[in-house]
């Protein structure tokens, strides 16, 4: 099961978590599993419509082509699954607001990553405008405020652009996952809600891409 969780954190708590992480495991360069510039160029040159085709065996469903599998592998390869990063992620999750709070958003999906579905829906340039690195971020309050306009430009979609993004999320969740009823509207609205809440209340924010 894939998950993408975004929550608010006070700046003081972010500092404590980072200091504890450094003491436990000094930072090391993240290994490069993919050639990011090359894959981004390929993604930009690939028509989104070419990644999926209508399923012949299941009306209303979709089948993933080789390009969809390549894009999914690219997203997965951009994640740092080292023990130190996983431990920091666990500590950040423990510090998030409780379930149901305005400062928390969580998306889960069977066999698919919610962030990957959103990234496909938005396209490469919009994704690079989101905070952090392909869904993972840990930002103090000042950086949340600085990055909020870019996040709003990427996520605050209306009209035909929003309908197209919702349809692309559905295709990803159907063809690469097992969650055709995933709430695509919430996947667009939830992250921005948390970032706006963080900016409004003077807090930092974190995002975590996780697999269970």
């Amino acid at each position: 099961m894939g998950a993408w969780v975004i929550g608010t954190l006070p700046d003081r708590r972010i500092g404590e978590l980072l200091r504890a992480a450094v003491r436990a495991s000094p930072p090391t360069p993240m290994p490069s599993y993919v050639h990011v510039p090359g894959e981004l160029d390929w993604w930009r040159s690939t028509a989104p419509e070419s990644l999926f085709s209508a399923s012949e065996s299941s009306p209303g469903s979709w089948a993933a082509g080789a390009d969809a599998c390549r894009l999914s592998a690219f997203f997965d390869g951009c994640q740092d699954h080292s023990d130190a990063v996983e431990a920091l992620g666990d500590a950040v999750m423990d510090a998030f607001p409780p379930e149901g709070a305005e400062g928390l958003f969580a998306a889960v999906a069977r066999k698919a990553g919610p962030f990957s579905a959103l990234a496909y829906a938005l396209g490469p340039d919009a994704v690079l405008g989101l905070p952090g690195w392909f869904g993972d971020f840990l930002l103090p309050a000042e950086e949340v405020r600085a990055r909020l306009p870019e996040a709003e430009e990427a996520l605050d979609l209306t009209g035909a652009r929003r309908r197209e993004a919702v349809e692309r999320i559905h295709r990803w969740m159907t063809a690469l996952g097992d969650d055709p009823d995933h709430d695509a509207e919430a996947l667009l609205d939830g992250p921005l809600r948390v970032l706006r809440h963080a900016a409004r209340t003077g807090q930092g924010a974190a995002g975590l891409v996780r697999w269970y």
Side-chain angles (χ1 to χ4, degrees), residues 21 25 27 35 45 67 74 77 86 98 113 136 141 144 150 152 175 181 192 200 206-207:
S25 179
H35 182 243
S45 69
D67 284 345
F74 169 55
E86 291 290 314
D136 286 329
V144 169
E150 287 180 286
E152 289 178 328
D181 298 321
L192 196 52
R200 187 170 60 251

Side-chain angles (χ1 to χ4, degrees), residues 28-39:
T28 57
M30 176 182 170
S32 178
Y33 299 108
V34 294
H35 182 243
V36 174
E39 289 300 280

Side-chain angles (χ1 to χ4, degrees), residues 180-204:
D181 298 321
H182 188 85
D183 191 344
E185 302 277 357
L187 191 53
L188 288 168
D189 296 336
L192 196 52
R193 168 179 55 80
V194 173
L195 291 173
R196 284 171 168 165
H197 178 70
R200 187 170 60 251
T201 57
Q203 297 185 81

Side-chain angles (χ1 to χ4, degrees), residues 4 20 38 51 64 66 71 77 87 102 107 124 126 130 140-142 148 154 158 164 173 208:
W4 189 32
L51 273 65
L71 186 58
E102 188 176 0
L130 295 177
E142 183 178 357
L148 182 57
T158 60
E164 183 179 23
M173 290 300 191
L208 300 168

